[in-house]
Amino acid sequence: IVGENVLLLDTLTLKVLATIPIGKAVASTKFGADGTQLVVGVLDGDRRPTANDTLVDVAQKKVVGEQPAPPLISRVLPVPGGKTALRHRPAGLSATNVELFELPDGPAIAKCKVPLLASSFLVLKDGAELIAGDTDGRMVHVELATGDVKHSWSAHSSTVSRLVASPAQKQFVSISWDGLCK
């Protein structure tokens, strides 16, 4: 596996469903609104984002085209439904405090300590659970209300920079500075 492939994983077993060659270094990926396509941000030879994103058909498991890439903007971590969001801050060098709060800047609804210095998050089940990735390539699946770790694993050899779920949340993709998408 090299940094030019996207791995499609099953969220329950974490088994690879498909390895999809992209042909360029992968920088980011997200599922399209209907979940039938992946939109993959790619890098040029100088490791800069290209002007076009690559489109991958999930059912066919292959590249099917390109579209203009959106401008680079800051990331927001809203929870599906648009009424809540996630905020986080380091709690030392090996943990992160996470809070689910009401928008625009309400009090915490739920909070927990994630047992790693998180670099990326994926909110699941309307804010009841989350997956966090860290700077060492580790990931944890945590129940937000209790902080209980449901699953922990090493996914990459470097920083997990982004986690993206399919619309039905049955699959997700992790992107790392190690050049891999899984």
Side-chain angles (χ1 to χ4, degrees):
I1 299 171
V2 296
E4 295 185 357
N5 294 329
V6 171
L7 299 181
L8 191 60
L9 300 175
D10 180 276
T11 55
L12 295 177
T13 64
L14 300 179
K15 290 185 179 179
V16 176
L17 300 174
T19 301
I20 305 165
I22 303 301
K24 296 179 183 174
V26 175
S28 65
T29 190
K30 66 180 180 179
F31 280 90
D34 64 2
T36 63
Q37 286 189 333
L38 290 173
V39 179
V40 181
V42 294
L43 302 175
D44 65 17
D46 293 324
R47 305 224 21 105
R48 289 181 293 207
T50 62
N52 290 321
D53 287 335
T54 299
L55 299 175
V56 174
D57 184 287
V58 175
Q60 296 178 39
K61 297 174 179 63
K62 69 176 188 175
V63 173
V64 293
E66 291 185 345
Q67 71 181 23
L72 296 174
I73 57 174
S74 62
R75 294 184 222 165
V76 176
L77 192 57
V79 174
K83 295 181 182 178
T84 58
L86 197 70
R87 62 181 161 221
H88 57 89
R89 67 181 188 283
L93 296 175
S94 60
T96 304
N97 290 323
V98 178
E99 295 180 338
L100 180 70
F101 68 98
E102 292 180 17
L103 291 171
D105 194 23
I109 299 167
K111 53 178 138 180
C112 73
K113 187 176 281 191
V114 175
L116 48 76
L117 186 57
S119 55
S120 57
F121 292 96
L122 175 60
V123 179
L124 303 170
K125 298 186 179 179
D126 294 330
E129 298 176 4
L130 61 89
I131 295 175
D134 80 353
T135 56
D136 293 330
R138 295 175 297 151
M139 295 181 8
V140 292
H141 181 188
V142 177
E143 187 175 326
L144 188 56
T146 64
D148 290 343
V149 175
K150 299 177 109 187
H151 188 69
S152 176
W153 67 100
S154 291
H156 294 279
S157 61
S158 188
T159 299
V160 179
S161 58
R162 186 91 191 257
L163 299 166
V164 181
S166 66
Q169 295 188 340
K170 292 185 185 250
Q171 302 164 331
F172 76 94
V173 176
S174 62
I175 303 164
S176 171
W177 292 1
D178 64 10
L180 300 177
C181 290
K182 295 183 175 182

